Amino acid sequence: MPLDTSSYALALLRLDGRRWNELRRLHAQISTQAAADGSSYLEMGNTKVICTVSGPAEGRRGGGSGAAGGAGGEAEVRVDVNLAGFSGTDRKKRGRNDKRIGEMQTTIENAQSNNLFTHLYPRSTIAIAIHVLSEDGSLLAACLNAATLALIDAGIPMSDYIVACTAASTLSSSIKDDAADPLLDTNALEEQELPFLTVATLGAGEQISVLVMESRVQMGRLESMMAVAVDGCKQVREILDRAVRAHGKKVLSSIVV
């Protein structure tokens, strides 16, 4: 069914009641899995993700998947993304060889490898396992945010937060550029019908570490989409930072008592 955008022009509201620059409800928790070195649970709207981190651990020597850690005296970051069969509306179980999952894993690995101080853990492996419980848009952004929280919980040094958000353009390419408005934090229905991109920034600034766009869009709209996504990343960082600080205060209070 095509996305009905007629209500947006009249009430300036999207189908879920948000304005163009509003985030969905974002809920974050840290240290949700006691058995893991680091863990997190993240909700961005109806997209729900669990992330666990193991390591840094010394890689087992020998062949196979347990080979010793990264080359060049740095730790190797490995990411495994698992989408539950009930996470989407299609109820389809995706295998490990799924192209989309492979691209997500590579994107997260590259982003976190450049952000973490991997040189402090030579010949080691940092394993990030991401389990998607529910998928309703902005999946890559949710996985990046959940991985950042889990790595912080694991105590692995990093230069700053990697936070991600999505943005879309309202109208099709047949409409003039000046009539198109950017939309922040897309849901699944919007991603099916509208061109969108995922942006991840480093810290509170505007340094972009990840930029993924799989749909076509006119060049005149790209700048506004990126500006809205970067502003959304700043809002997401504030929310994640509050969650980290609240967890830190809770841990300190338990130690003092």
Side-chain angles (χ1 to χ4, degrees):
M1 178 182 295
L3 180 64
D4 182 11
T5 57
S6 59
S7 60
Y8 177 80
L10 296 175
L12 296 181
L13 295 178
R14 293 147 76 173
L15 294 180
D16 55 7
R18 291 181 293 148
R19 297 189 181 276
W20 65 273
N21 60 344
E22 289 182 346
L23 291 172
R24 294 177 293 176
R25 175 182 177 272
L26 200 158
H27 171 68
Q29 288 181 301
I30 303 179
S31 233
T32 56
Q33 307 291 326
D37 296 318
S39 59
S40 66
Y41 172 75
L42 184 81
E43 293 183 4
M44 293 183 67
N46 290 326
T47 298
K48 303 176 182 180
V49 176
I50 292 176
C51 182
T52 59
V53 171
S54 300
E58 183 177 358
R60 297 191 301 271
R61 299 191 176 276
S65 60
E74 296 186 355
E76 177 186 9
V77 178
R78 297 179 182 174
V79 176
D80 182 27
V81 178
N82 178 31
L83 273 69
F86 52 81
S87 61
T89 56
D90 53 359
R91 300 284 174 172
K92 179 181 178 181
K93 178 68 175 179
R94 295 185 175 93
R96 294 183 179 273
N97 296 326
D98 186 83
K99 182 179 179 181
R100 183 190 180 196
I101 294 178
E103 291 175 350
M104 288 179 55
Q105 291 176 167
T106 303
T107 300
I108 299 170
E109 285 176 0
N110 293 337
Q112 298 296 350
S113 295
N114 294 327
N115 184 39
L116 299 174
F117 295 160
T118 54
H119 63 279
L120 299 177
Y121 308 100
R123 297 180 299 278
S124 300
T125 300
I126 301 171
I128 303 173
I130 300 174
H131 303 274
V132 180
L133 304 179
S134 178
E135 180 184 359
D136 186 32
S138 302
L139 180 58
L140 176 59
C143 291
L144 283 165
N145 294 331
T148 297
L149 290 177
L151 289 166
I152 292 174
D153 184 42
I156 302 176
M158 62 179 66
S159 57
D160 209 326
Y161 291 71
I162 285 184
V163 289
C165 195
T166 57
S169 182
T170 52
L171 300 174
S172 64
S173 58
S174 62
I175 308 298
K176 295 181 180 180
D177 287 340
D178 54 6
D181 295 322
L183 300 177
L184 179 65
D185 190 14
T186 56
N187 57 37
L189 188 58
E190 291 170 338
E191 290 182 356
Q192 290 176 5
E193 300 292 336
L194 304 176
F196 72 98
L197 54 79
T198 302
V199 172
T201 59
L202 186 62
E206 298 183 355
Q207 179 181 347
I208 295 177
S209 59
V210 174
L211 175 58
V212 176
M213 185 171 186
E214 300 176 355
S215 50
R216 295 182 179 181
V217 68
Q218 294 184 5
M219 285 296 296
R221 305 182 189 177
L222 185 60
E223 183 177 357
S224 61
M225 291 170 63
M226 290 184 61
V228 168
V230 169
D231 182 69
C233 290
K234 294 179 181 179
Q235 299 180 47
V236 172
R237 188 192 185 280
E238 293 179 0
I239 297 173
L240 299 188
D241 188 59
R242 286 199 298 266
V244 171
R245 292 179 183 274
H247 177 71
K249 291 179 180 178
K250 180 180 179 181
V251 172
L252 288 176
S253 62
S254 63
I255 293 175
V256 172
V257 173

